[in-house]
Structures are given as structure tokens and as C-alpha cells.
Amino acid sequence: AQKITQTQPGMFVQEKEAVTLDCTYDTSDPSYGLFWYKQPSSGEMIFLIYQGSYDQQNATEGRYSLNFQKARKSANLVISASQLGDSAMYFCAMREREGAQKLVFGQGTRLTINP
Amino acid sequence: DAGVIQSPRHEVTEMGQEVTLRCKPISGHDYLFWYRQTMMRGLELLIYFNNNVPIDDSGMPEDRFSAKMPNASFSTLKIQPSEPRDSAVYFCASTGLVVAYEQYFGPGTRLTVT
């Protein structure tokens, strides 16, 4: 069964608009972590943002924020004021339980920012 | 810090040949991970180490794959013999005592087996 689901294979957004990339997850453990990574066309995987299951507030890192809805098991990435350089693949990942180090990745969403 | 270093960046080899991929994790990180990325299967964890000891190798596809970590600053992933279906990008990542144990990835090795 899919543990991380990213339902948007591709998204096209106008520059300067905000964009939301969807991620839903499945775990029965109460303690888990959620991550977003960016993979530009050059291929490297870049860590963007982290949300712990017990964190009371949504995580933010600059233009990135994570819309964490625990009851719905969703952890959507929001990019504000999108830039051309945001065009990339975006992966949602989950660390399933406290102390575990394995990450399970979704299939990714390809984001294209249009000028 | 230099980040995670992988070599080679590109490798083209013929079927049946031995391939060795190398990784140097970020200094001070005590976990090291090997991933494989393909279009069909996405990003898959192959194996990971903690303090140089293999913890979980359930993702290693078959006996042709082996990984070692002889010390804290070096790891290898070996494929012998290689097959065309092994063609993929192989990433090494490391993590340590950081806030969220986020993993930091190397640039990857693009392997092509002809």
C-alpha cells in the first residue's frame, strides 16, 4: 500500500503566484516526521522543510510552508510568490516512527513555473 | 562543509562488468543511506548504515548488490555482475544529530549499463 501519495504528477503555475503541492500519508504510528525535497533538473535532492507529528504549528522556511492537517493525514507544501527557479520535481517523504531513520518517498510532482 | 560527495558522477559500463560507486558522507553524520532512482520505481532505499554497521538491507535487490562502510567517512556500493536493468541514478545520503534527522543527499551517480 502506498504510504505517501502525491496525486499531482505535474503542475503549471504563473510566476509570482502561490502554489500548493499535495501530499497525503498513511501511518498508524503516533510519532512520525514529514519532509519535502526539491529535485531540480540538475538532479540533486535538496531538503526543504520538516514537520514533526507533534509539532503544534505548521513549519515554515522562507517562502516554503507546510500545511499540516493531521486528522486528514495531509502535509501539503505551499510555495509563496513562486519564481522561475522553483521549477523542479518535488518529493514528499515520511519517517514512519520515532527513532526510525528510513524515509519513504512519494512519486513526486513536477512543478513548472511559467514567466 | 563540502556536503556528501559521490564518485563517479557518471558511469557507463557493459553488461557483466563490476561497478563500484563511492560515497563520502558529511563529517560527523552517523547514518549513511544508499538510494536508487528510476522513472518506473521512483526513489528506493537500498540499504542504510549506522556507525558503519548495516542496519537495514531489505531494499537491496539481489545478491549482485553489496555495500560496505569500512569507516565513518567512506562507503561503497558494488554491483557484480551489472545488468542493463541496473541503469539508474544512485544517491548516497547522510544524516546525524540535526534537529529533524533530515537526510542530505549527494549529487548522485548516473549509471548506464549497456
Side-chain angles (χ1 to χ4, degrees), chain A residues 11-17 81-87 111-115:
Chain A
M11 284 194 70
F12 294 84
V13 173
Q14 284 300 118
E15 190 179 8
K16 299 180 185 176
E17 289 183 353
S82 59
Q83 303 171 356
L84 296 178
D86 294 332
S87 295
L111 175 64
T112 302
I113 307 297
N114 295 316

Side-chain angles (χ1 to χ4, degrees), chain A residues 20 46 75 92 97 99 109 111:
Chain A
T20 298
I46 302 168
C92 180
R97 62 184 186 281
T109 295
L111 175 64

